[in-house]
Amino acid sequence: MKFFVDTASLDQIKEAHDLGILDGVTTNPSLMAKEGISGEANVMKHYKDICEIVSGDVSAEVISTDFAGMVEEGKRLAGIAPNIVVKVPMIKDGVKAMSYFTEQGIKTNCTLVFSAGQAILAAKAGATYLSPFVGRVDDINWDGISLIREIAELYAIQQFETEILAASIRNSKHIVDAGLAGADIITCPLSSMLGLLKHPLTDIGLAKFLADHKKANS
Ligand code: E4P
């Protein structure tokens, strides 16, 4: 399983990177806005800064929604660094753009995926990554983890090479469940990643070890 951090915060990306377990980064326009990044030049510079921290793949999302715009924008984004992946929405022109980028050897991440049918289209277009949104499916009282399981089964049967990147991960349990459901990659906020550390028996055990050591050495 690969681990991506889902943020545009340079501090959080550095913190995740310093753990030594980070394989990549995903961003989206909302996450960029949250960091106050706006304007073409600043956006480009911010992606460059992220790519200087991590050597793994960094998803940069297009804003355009038409084929020509996505191609033009995607080429500019891909030119920032060799590890940039162009993130493209699951819409008709997006499928066309992903097919184009695949032919050009440019990596893509198909975003806003909510069904196995959409996952077929993305795989046929040669998407490098597929981002089914687990949390947003759960938000409408459907089952995001079942969606991951369904796509994983479908991709295995059809031998599609597109990697399943479970996105919209909201908590640490989602990470474990998405892994069990067959996701190749999990992208999540740093808080969910750090949440995996937590277990009361670890804290109790460590406190006891340290207390025993102190007693023996006093
Ligand atoms: C990442 O690729 C997605 O854009 C992100 O995980 C969406 O998460 P959200 O549903 O919490 O906004």
Side-chain angles (χ1 to χ4, degrees), residues 127-149:
T128 315
Y129 301 115
L130 178 89
S131 290
F133 277 31
V134 174
R136 292 194 198 185
V137 171
D138 285 359
D139 286 345
I140 59 160
N141 201 28
W142 291 15
D143 185 350
I145 295 297
S146 291
L147 174 63
I148 299 289
R149 192 173 297 110

mmCIF file with all atom_site columns, all heavy atoms in Angstrom, residues 127-149:
data_model
loop_
_atom_site.group_PDB
_atom_site.id
_atom_site.type_symbol
_atom_site.label_atom_id
_atom_site.label_alt_id
_atom_site.label_comp_id
_atom_site.label_asym_id
_atom_site.label_entity_id
_atom_site.label_seq_id
_atom_site.pdbx_PDB_ins_code
_atom_site.Cartn_x
_atom_site.Cartn_y
_atom_site.Cartn_z
_atom_site.occupancy
_atom_site.B_iso_or_equiv
_atom_site.pdbx_formal_charge
_atom_site.auth_seq_id
_atom_site.auth_comp_id
_atom_site.auth_asym_id
_atom_site.auth_atom_id
_atom_site.pdbx_PDB_model_num
ATOM 1   N N   . ALA A 1 127 ? -5.892  6.332  -17.286 1.00 0.00 ? 127 ALA A N   1
ATOM 2   C CA  . ALA A 1 127 ? -5.536  7.106  -16.085 1.00 0.00 ? 127 ALA A CA  1
ATOM 3   C C   . ALA A 1 127 ? -4.506  6.343  -15.248 1.00 0.00 ? 127 ALA A C   1
ATOM 4   O O   . ALA A 1 127 ? -4.602  5.124  -15.102 1.00 0.00 ? 127 ALA A O   1
ATOM 5   C CB  . ALA A 1 127 ? -6.787  7.358  -15.242 1.00 0.00 ? 127 ALA A CB  1
ATOM 6   N N   . THR A 1 128 ? -3.529  7.068  -14.744 1.00 0.00 ? 128 THR A N   1
ATOM 7   C CA  . THR A 1 128 ? -2.527  6.440  -13.871 1.00 0.00 ? 128 THR A CA  1
ATOM 8   C C   . THR A 1 128 ? -3.182  6.089  -12.542 1.00 0.00 ? 128 THR A C   1
ATOM 9   O O   . THR A 1 128 ? -2.988  5.002  -12.003 1.00 0.00 ? 128 THR A O   1
ATOM 10  C CB  . THR A 1 128 ? -1.357  7.436  -13.609 1.00 0.00 ? 128 THR A CB  1
ATOM 11  O OG1 . THR A 1 128 ? -0.986  8.056  -14.833 1.00 0.00 ? 128 THR A OG1 1
ATOM 12  C CG2 . THR A 1 128 ? -0.173  6.738  -12.967 1.00 0.00 ? 128 THR A CG2 1
ATOM 13  N N   . TYR A 1 129 ? -3.951  7.050  -12.006 1.00 0.00 ? 129 TYR A N   1
ATOM 14  C CA  . TYR A 1 129 ? -4.627  6.878  -10.721 1.00 0.00 ? 129 TYR A CA  1
ATOM 15  C C   . TYR A 1 129 ? -6.116  7.152  -10.873 1.00 0.00 ? 129 TYR A C   1
ATOM 16  O O   . TYR A 1 129 ? -6.518  8.003  -11.672 1.00 0.00 ? 129 TYR A O   1
ATOM 17  C CB  . TYR A 1 129 ? -4.073  7.861  -9.678  1.00 0.00 ? 129 TYR A CB  1
ATOM 18  C CG  . TYR A 1 129 ? -2.592  7.725  -9.410  1.00 0.00 ? 129 TYR A CG  1
ATOM 19  C CD1 . TYR A 1 129 ? -1.703  8.755  -9.741  1.00 0.00 ? 129 TYR A CD1 1
ATOM 20  C CD2 . TYR A 1 129 ? -2.075  6.580  -8.819  1.00 0.00 ? 129 TYR A CD2 1
ATOM 21  C CE1 . TYR A 1 129 ? -0.341  8.642  -9.486  1.00 0.00 ? 129 TYR A CE1 1
ATOM 22  C CE2 . TYR A 1 129 ? -0.715  6.453  -8.557  1.00 0.00 ? 129 TYR A CE2 1
ATOM 23  C CZ  . TYR A 1 129 ? 0.148   7.490  -8.894  1.00 0.00 ? 129 TYR A CZ  1
ATOM 24  O OH  . TYR A 1 129 ? 1.492   7.368  -8.644  1.00 0.00 ? 129 TYR A OH  1
ATOM 25  N N   . LEU A 1 130 ? -6.902  6.473  -10.050 1.00 0.00 ? 130 LEU A N   1
ATOM 26  C CA  . LEU A 1 130 ? -8.344  6.687  -9.984  1.00 0.00 ? 130 LEU A CA  1
ATOM 27  C C   . LEU A 1 130 ? -8.672  7.092  -8.553  1.00 0.00 ? 130 LEU A C   1
ATOM 28  O O   . LEU A 1 130 ? -8.305  6.387  -7.614  1.00 0.00 ? 130 LEU A O   1
ATOM 29  C CB  . LEU A 1 130 ? -9.085  5.388  -10.320 1.00 0.00 ? 130 LEU A CB  1
ATOM 30  C CG  . LEU A 1 130 ? -10.605 5.508  -10.220 1.00 0.00 ? 130 LEU A CG  1
ATOM 31  C CD1 . LEU A 1 130 ? -11.167 5.963  -11.567 1.00 0.00 ? 130 LEU A CD1 1
ATOM 32  C CD2 . LEU A 1 130 ? -11.244 4.192  -9.813  1.00 0.00 ? 130 LEU A CD2 1
ATOM 33  N N   . SER A 1 131 ? -9.365  8.223  -8.393  1.00 0.00 ? 131 SER A N   1
ATOM 34  C CA  . SER A 1 131 ? -9.691  8.685  -7.028  1.00 0.00 ? 131 SER A CA  1
ATOM 35  C C   . SER A 1 131 ? -11.174 8.549  -6.700  1.00 0.00 ? 131 SER A C   1
ATOM 36  O O   . SER A 1 131 ? -11.957 9.485  -6.891  1.00 0.00 ? 131 SER A O   1
ATOM 37  C CB  . SER A 1 131 ? -9.281  10.159 -6.869  1.00 0.00 ? 131 SER A CB  1
ATOM 38  O OG  . SER A 1 131 ? -7.888  10.301 -6.863  1.00 0.00 ? 131 SER A OG  1
ATOM 39  N N   . PRO A 1 132 ? -11.602 7.403  -6.178  1.00 0.00 ? 132 PRO A N   1
ATOM 40  C CA  . PRO A 1 132 ? -12.970 7.296  -5.652  1.00 0.00 ? 132 PRO A CA  1
ATOM 41  C C   . PRO A 1 132 ? -13.015 8.006  -4.295  1.00 0.00 ? 132 PRO A C   1
ATOM 42  O O   . PRO A 1 132 ? -12.114 7.847  -3.470  1.00 0.00 ? 132 PRO A O   1
ATOM 43  C CB  . PRO A 1 132 ? -13.177 5.784  -5.477  1.00 0.00 ? 132 PRO A CB  1
ATOM 44  C CG  . PRO A 1 132 ? -11.968 5.126  -6.078  1.00 0.00 ? 132 PRO A CG  1
ATOM 45  C CD  . PRO A 1 132 ? -10.882 6.127  -6.072  1.00 0.00 ? 132 PRO A CD  1
ATOM 46  N N   . PHE A 1 133 ? -14.079 8.796  -4.076  1.00 0.00 ? 133 PHE A N   1
ATOM 47  C CA  . PHE A 1 133 ? -14.190 9.635  -2.876  1.00 0.00 ? 133 PHE A CA  1
ATOM 48  C C   . PHE A 1 133 ? -14.972 8.908  -1.776  1.00 0.00 ? 133 PHE A C   1
ATOM 49  O O   . PHE A 1 133 ? -16.201 8.990  -1.712  1.00 0.00 ? 133 PHE A O   1
ATOM 50  C CB  . PHE A 1 133 ? -14.898 10.942 -3.233  1.00 0.00 ? 133 PHE A CB  1
ATOM 51  C CG  . PHE A 1 133 ? -13.998 12.003 -3.833  1.00 0.00 ? 133 PHE A CG  1
ATOM 52  C CD1 . PHE A 1 133 ? -12.903 11.673 -4.599  1.00 0.00 ? 133 PHE A CD1 1
ATOM 53  C CD2 . PHE A 1 133 ? -14.283 13.351 -3.631  1.00 0.00 ? 133 PHE A CD2 1
ATOM 54  C CE1 . PHE A 1 133 ? -12.073 12.646 -5.148  1.00 0.00 ? 133 PHE A CE1 1
ATOM 55  C CE2 . PHE A 1 133 ? -13.475 14.342 -4.171  1.00 0.00 ? 133 PHE A CE2 1
ATOM 56  C CZ  . PHE A 1 133 ? -12.367 13.995 -4.928  1.00 0.00 ? 133 PHE A CZ  1
ATOM 57  N N   . VAL A 1 134 ? -14.262 8.231  -0.907  1.00 0.00 ? 134 VAL A N   1
ATOM 58  C CA  . VAL A 1 134 ? -14.893 7.420  0.139   1.00 0.00 ? 134 VAL A CA  1
ATOM 59  C C   . VAL A 1 134 ? -15.795 8.247  1.066   1.00 0.00 ? 134 VAL A C   1
ATOM 60  O O   . VAL A 1 134 ? -16.973 7.943  1.249   1.00 0.00 ? 134 VAL A O   1
ATOM 61  C CB  . VAL A 1 134 ? -13.802 6.686  0.967   1.00 0.00 ? 134 VAL A CB  1
ATOM 62  C CG1 . VAL A 1 134 ? -14.417 5.956  2.156   1.00 0.00 ? 134 VAL A CG1 1
ATOM 63  C CG2 . VAL A 1 134 ? -13.025 5.721  0.084   1.00 0.00 ? 134 VAL A CG2 1
ATOM 64  N N   . GLY A 1 135 ? -15.246 9.307  1.641   1.00 0.00 ? 135 GLY A N   1
ATOM 65  C CA  . GLY A 1 135 ? -15.990 10.100 2.632   1.00 0.00 ? 135 GLY A CA  1
ATOM 66  C C   . GLY A 1 135 ? -17.236 10.752 2.059   1.00 0.00 ? 135 GLY A C   1
ATOM 67  O O   . GLY A 1 135 ? -18.287 10.786 2.718   1.00 0.00 ? 135 GLY A O   1
ATOM 68  N N   . ARG A 1 136 ? -17.122 11.260 0.837   1.00 0.00 ? 136 ARG A N   1
ATOM 69  C CA  . ARG A 1 136 ? -18.288 11.949 0.253   1.00 0.00 ? 136 ARG A CA  1
ATOM 70  C C   . ARG A 1 136 ? -19.408 10.958 -0.076  1.00 0.00 ? 136 ARG A C   1
ATOM 71  O O   . ARG A 1 136 ? -20.582 11.326 -0.076  1.00 0.00 ? 136 ARG A O   1
ATOM 72  C CB  . ARG A 1 136 ? -17.878 12.751 -0.985  1.00 0.00 ? 136 ARG A CB  1
ATOM 73  C CG  . ARG A 1 136 ? -16.996 13.934 -0.623  1.00 0.00 ? 136 ARG A CG  1
ATOM 74  C CD  . ARG A 1 136 ? -16.855 14.923 -1.750  1.00 0.00 ? 136 ARG A CD  1
ATOM 75  N NE  . ARG A 1 136 ? -15.697 15.778 -1.502  1.00 0.00 ? 136 ARG A NE  1
ATOM 76  C CZ  . ARG A 1 136 ? -15.361 16.802 -2.245  1.00 0.00 ? 136 ARG A CZ  1
ATOM 77  N NH1 . ARG A 1 136 ? -16.076 17.123 -3.314  1.00 0.00 ? 136 ARG A NH1 1
ATOM 78  N NH2 . ARG A 1 136 ? -14.294 17.523 -1.954  1.00 0.00 ? 136 ARG A NH2 1
ATOM 79  N N   . VAL A 1 137 ? -19.049 9.710  -0.376  1.00 0.00 ? 137 VAL A N   1
ATOM 80  C CA  . VAL A 1 137 ? -20.076 8.679  -0.582  1.00 0.00 ? 137 VAL A CA  1
ATOM 81  C C   . VAL A 1 137 ? -20.743 8.373  0.763   1.00 0.00 ? 137 VAL A C   1
ATOM 82  O O   . VAL A 1 137 ? -21.969 8.328  0.863   1.00 0.00 ? 137 VAL A O   1
ATOM 83  C CB  . VAL A 1 137 ? -19.469 7.398  -1.216  1.00 0.00 ? 137 VAL A CB  1
ATOM 84  C CG1 . VAL A 1 137 ? -20.487 6.272  -1.220  1.00 0.00 ? 137 VAL A CG1 1
ATOM 85  C CG2 . VAL A 1 137 ? -18.995 7.679  -2.639  1.00 0.00 ? 137 VAL A CG2 1
ATOM 86  N N   . ASP A 1 138 ? -19.928 8.235  1.807   1.00 0.00 ? 138 ASP A N   1
ATOM 87  C CA  . ASP A 1 138 ? -20.491 7.998  3.154   1.00 0.00 ? 138 ASP A CA  1
ATOM 88  C C   . ASP A 1 138 ? -21.406 9.153  3.572   1.00 0.00 ? 138 ASP A C   1
ATOM 89  O O   . ASP A 1 138 ? -22.421 8.926  4.240   1.00 0.00 ? 138 ASP A O   1
ATOM 90  C CB  . ASP A 1 138 ? -19.373 7.861  4.200   1.00 0.00 ? 138 ASP A CB  1
ATOM 91  C CG  . ASP A 1 138 ? -18.655 6.515  4.113   1.00 0.00 ? 138 ASP A CG  1
ATOM 92  O OD1 . ASP A 1 138 ? -19.035 5.686  3.271   1.00 0.00 ? 138 ASP A OD1 1
ATOM 93  O OD2 . ASP A 1 138 ? -17.700 6.311  4.894   1.00 0.00 ? 138 ASP A OD2 1
ATOM 94  N N   . ASP A 1 139 ? -21.014 10.381 3.173   1.00 0.00 ? 139 ASP A N   1
ATOM 95  C CA  . ASP A 1 139 ? -21.797 11.569 3.563   1.00 0.00 ? 139 ASP A CA  1
ATOM 96  C C   . ASP A 1 139 ? -23.252 11.498 3.100   1.00 0.00 ? 139 ASP A C   1
ATOM 97  O O   . ASP A 1 139 ? -24.126 12.106 3.700   1.00 0.00 ? 139 ASP A O   1
ATOM 98  C CB  . ASP A 1 139 ? -21.179 12.852 2.962   1.00 0.00 ? 139 ASP A CB  1
ATOM 99  C CG  . ASP A 1 139 ? -19.900 13.260 3.674   1.00 0.00 ? 139 ASP A CG  1
ATOM 100 O OD1 . ASP A 1 139 ? -19.638 12.740 4.772   1.00 0.00 ? 139 ASP A OD1 1
ATOM 101 O OD2 . ASP A 1 139 ? -19.160 14.097 3.111   1.00 0.00 ? 139 ASP A OD2 1
ATOM 102 N N   . ILE A 1 140 ? -23.497 10.786 1.986   1.00 0.00 ? 140 ILE A N   1
ATOM 103 C CA  . ILE A 1 140 ? -24.889 10.696 1.515   1.00 0.00 ? 140 ILE A CA  1
ATOM 104 C C   . ILE A 1 140 ? -25.509 9.341  1.902   1.00 0.00 ? 140 ILE A C   1
ATOM 105 O O   . ILE A 1 140 ? -26.455 8.868  1.268   1.00 0.00 ? 140 ILE A O   1
ATOM 106 C CB  . ILE A 1 140 ? -25.023 10.957 -0.002  1.00 0.00 ? 140 ILE A CB  1
ATOM 107 C CG1 . ILE A 1 140 ? -24.191 9.972  -0.827  1.00 0.00 ? 140 ILE A CG1 1
ATOM 108 C CG2 . ILE A 1 140 ? -24.666 12.392 -0.348  1.00 0.00 ? 140 ILE A CG2 1
ATOM 109 C CD1 . ILE A 1 140 ? -24.652 9.852  -2.277  1.00 0.00 ? 140 ILE A CD1 1
ATOM 110 N N   . ASN A 1 141 ? -24.896 8.732  2.929   1.00 0.00 ? 141 ASN A N   1
ATOM 111 C CA  . ASN A 1 141 ? -25.428 7.500  3.506   1.00 0.00 ? 141 ASN A CA  1
ATOM 112 C C   . ASN A 1 141 ? -25.319 6.291  2.574   1.00 0.00 ? 141 ASN A C   1
ATOM 113 O O   . ASN A 1 141 ? -26.070 5.340  2.685   1.00 0.00 ? 141 ASN A O   1
ATOM 114 C CB  . ASN A 1 141 ? -26.886 7.711  3.961   1.00 0.00 ? 141 ASN A CB  1
ATOM 115 C CG  . ASN A 1 141 ? -27.303 6.688  4.992   1.00 0.00 ? 141 ASN A CG  1
ATOM 116 O OD1 . ASN A 1 141 ? -26.460 6.180  5.735   1.00 0.00 ? 141 ASN A OD1 1
ATOM 117 N ND2 . ASN A 1 141 ? -28.584 6.365  5.035   1.00 0.00 ? 141 ASN A ND2 1
ATOM 118 N N   . TRP A 1 142 ? -24.359 6.360  1.589   1.00 0.00 ? 142 TRP A N   1
ATOM 119 C CA  . TRP A 1 142 ? -24.011 5.177  0.819   1.00 0.00 ? 142 TRP A CA  1
ATOM 120 C C   . TRP A 1 142 ? -22.741 4.630  1.452   1.00 0.00 ? 142 TRP A C   1
ATOM 121 O O   . TRP A 1 142 ? -22.348 5.095  2.512   1.00 0.00 ? 142 TRP A O   1
ATOM 122 C CB  . TRP A 1 142 ? -23.812 5.526  -0.672  1.00 0.00 ? 142 TRP A CB  1
ATOM 123 C CG  . TRP A 1 142 ? -25.089 5.902  -1.374  1.00 0.00 ? 142 TRP A CG  1
ATOM 124 C CD1 . TRP A 1 142 ? -26.276 6.233  -0.777  1.00 0.00 ? 142 TRP A CD1 1
ATOM 125 C CD2 . TRP A 1 142 ? -25.292 6.019  -2.778  1.00 0.00 ? 142 TRP A CD2 1
ATOM 126 N NE1 . TRP A 1 142 ? -27.207 6.541  -1.730  1.00 0.00 ? 142 TRP A NE1 1
ATOM 127 C CE2 . TRP A 1 142 ? -26.641 6.427  -2.979  1.00 0.00 ? 142 TRP A CE2 1
ATOM 128 C CE3 . TRP A 1 142 ? -24.497 5.828  -3.905  1.00 0.00 ? 142 TRP A CE3 1
ATOM 129 C CZ2 . TRP A 1 142 ? -27.190 6.634  -4.235  1.00 0.00 ? 142 TRP A CZ2 1
ATOM 130 C CZ3 . TRP A 1 142 ? -25.049 6.041  -5.163  1.00 0.00 ? 142 TRP A CZ3 1
ATOM 131 C CH2 . TRP A 1 142 ? -26.375 6.426  -5.324  1.00 0.00 ? 142 TRP A CH2 1
ATOM 132 N N   . ASP A 1 143 ? -22.080 3.668  0.796   1.00 0.00 ? 143 ASP A N   1
ATOM 133 C CA  . ASP A 1 143 ? -20.937 3.025  1.435   1.00 0.00 ? 143 ASP A CA  1
ATOM 134 C C   . ASP A 1 143 ? -19.671 3.193  0.581   1.00 0.00 ? 143 ASP A C   1
ATOM 135 O O   . ASP A 1 143 ? -19.487 2.501  -0.414  1.00 0.00 ? 143 ASP A O   1
ATOM 136 C CB  . ASP A 1 143 ? -21.289 1.533  1.635   1.00 0.00 ? 143 ASP A CB  1
ATOM 137 C CG  . ASP A 1 143 ? -20.222 0.796  2.413   1.00 0.00 ? 143 ASP A CG  1
ATOM 138 O OD1 . ASP A 1 143 ? -19.138 1.370  2.637   1.00 0.00 ? 143 ASP A OD1 1
ATOM 139 O OD2 . ASP A 1 143 ? -20.468 -0.360 2.792   1.00 0.00 ? 143 ASP A OD2 1
ATOM 140 N N   . GLY A 1 144 ? -18.827 4.133  1.000   1.00 0.00 ? 144 GLY A N   1
ATOM 141 C CA  . GLY A 1 144 ? -17.608 4.455  0.246   1.00 0.00 ? 144 GLY A CA  1
ATOM 142 C C   . GLY A 1 144 ? -16.637 3.295  0.168   1.00 0.00 ? 144 GLY A C   1
ATOM 143 O O   . GLY A 1 144 ? -15.988 3.080  -0.864  1.00 0.00 ? 144 GLY A O   1
ATOM 144 N N   . ILE A 1 145 ? -16.533 2.524  1.246   1.00 0.00 ? 145 ILE A N   1
ATOM 145 C CA  . ILE A 1 145 ? -15.584 1.399  1.248   1.00 0.00 ? 145 ILE A CA  1
ATOM 146 C C   . ILE A 1 145 ? -16.066 0.288  0.303   1.00 0.00 ? 145 ILE A C   1
ATOM 147 O O   . ILE A 1 145 ? -15.270 -0.330 -0.406  1.00 0.00 ? 145 ILE A O   1
ATOM 148 C CB  . ILE A 1 145 ? -15.373 0.861  2.694   1.00 0.00 ? 145 ILE A CB  1
ATOM 149 C CG1 . ILE A 1 145 ? -14.695 1.937  3.563   1.00 0.00 ? 145 ILE A CG1 1
ATOM 150 C CG2 . ILE A 1 145 ? -14.568 -0.439 2.690   1.00 0.00 ? 145 ILE A CG2 1
ATOM 151 C CD1 . ILE A 1 145 ? -13.287 2.362  3.135   1.00 0.00 ? 145 ILE A CD1 1
ATOM 152 N N   . SER A 1 146 ? -17.395 0.101  0.227   1.00 0.00 ? 146 SER A N   1
ATOM 153 C CA  . SER A 1 146 ? -17.916 -0.901 -0.727  1.00 0.00 ? 146 SER A CA  1
ATOM 154 C C   . SER A 1 146 ? -17.589 -0.496 -2.163  1.00 0.00 ? 146 SER A C   1
ATOM 155 O O   . SER A 1 146 ? -17.345 -1.349 -3.017  1.00 0.00 ? 146 SER A O   1
ATOM 156 C CB  . SER A 1 146 ? -19.430 -1.038 -0.598  1.00 0.00 ? 146 SER A CB  1
ATOM 157 O OG  . SER A 1 146 ? -19.733 -1.625 0.629   1.00 0.00 ? 146 SER A OG  1
ATOM 158 N N   . LEU A 1 147 ? -17.598 0.813  -2.403  1.00 0.00 ? 147 LEU A N   1
ATOM 159 C CA  . LEU A 1 147 ? -17.244 1.292  -3.751  1.00 0.00 ? 147 LEU A CA  1
ATOM 160 C C   . LEU A 1 147 ? -15.787 0.921  -4.081  1.00 0.00 ? 147 LEU A C   1
ATOM 161 O O   . LEU A 1 147 ? -15.494 0.449  -5.186  1.00 0.00 ? 147 LEU A O   1
ATOM 162 C CB  . LEU A 1 147 ? -17.437 2.818  -3.840  1.00 0.00 ? 147 LEU A CB  1
ATOM 163 C CG  . LEU A 1 147 ? -16.976 3.474  -5.133  1.00 0.00 ? 147 LEU A CG  1
ATOM 164 C CD1 . LEU A 1 147 ? -17.774 2.955  -6.337  1.00 0.00 ? 147 LEU A CD1 1
ATOM 165 C CD2 . LEU A 1 147 ? -17.086 4.998  -5.043  1.00 0.00 ? 147 LEU A CD2 1
ATOM 166 N N   . ILE A 1 148 ? -14.897 1.098  -3.117  1.00 0.00 ? 148 ILE A N   1
ATOM 167 C CA  . ILE A 1 148 ? -13.485 0.723  -3.337  1.00 0.00 ? 148 ILE A CA  1
ATOM 168 C C   . ILE A 1 148 ? -13.392 -0.775 -3.630  1.00 0.00 ? 148 ILE A C   1
ATOM 169 O O   . ILE A 1 148 ? -12.709 -1.201 -4.572  1.00 0.00 ? 148 ILE A O   1
ATOM 170 C CB  . ILE A 1 148 ? -12.616 1.057  -2.083  1.00 0.00 ? 148 ILE A CB  1
ATOM 171 C CG1 . ILE A 1 148 ? -12.640 2.557  -1.763  1.00 0.00 ? 148 ILE A CG1 1
ATOM 172 C CG2 . ILE A 1 148 ? -11.184 0.540  -2.252  1.00 0.00 ? 148 ILE A CG2 1
ATOM 173 C CD1 . ILE A 1 148 ? -11.899 3.445  -2.715  1.00 0.00 ? 148 ILE A CD1 1
ATOM 174 N N   . ARG A 1 149 ? -14.115 -1.569 -2.847  1.00 0.00 ? 149 ARG A N   1
ATOM 175 C CA  . ARG A 1 149 ? -14.058 -3.036 -3.011  1.00 0.00 ? 149 ARG A CA  1
ATOM 176 C C   . ARG A 1 149 ? -14.559 -3.441 -4.401  1.00 0.00 ? 149 ARG A C   1
ATOM 177 O O   . ARG A 1 149 ? -13.964 -4.276 -5.078  1.00 0.00 ? 149 ARG A O   1
ATOM 178 C CB  . ARG A 1 149 ? -14.895 -3.709 -1.912  1.00 0.00 ? 149 ARG A CB  1
ATOM 179 C CG  . ARG A 1 149 ? -14.670 -5.204 -1.816  1.00 0.00 ? 149 ARG A CG  1
ATOM 180 C CD  . ARG A 1 149 ? -15.360 -5.835 -0.616  1.00 0.00 ? 149 ARG A CD  1
ATOM 181 N NE  . ARG A 1 149 ? -14.872 -5.335 0.649   1.00 0.00 ? 149 ARG A NE  1
ATOM 182 C CZ  . ARG A 1 149 ? -15.553 -4.560 1.487   1.00 0.00 ? 149 ARG A CZ  1
ATOM 183 N NH1 . ARG A 1 149 ? -16.792 -4.199 1.194   1.00 0.00 ? 149 ARG A NH1 1
ATOM 184 N NH2 . ARG A 1 149 ? -15.026 -4.136 2.607   1.00 0.00 ? 149 ARG A NH2 1
#
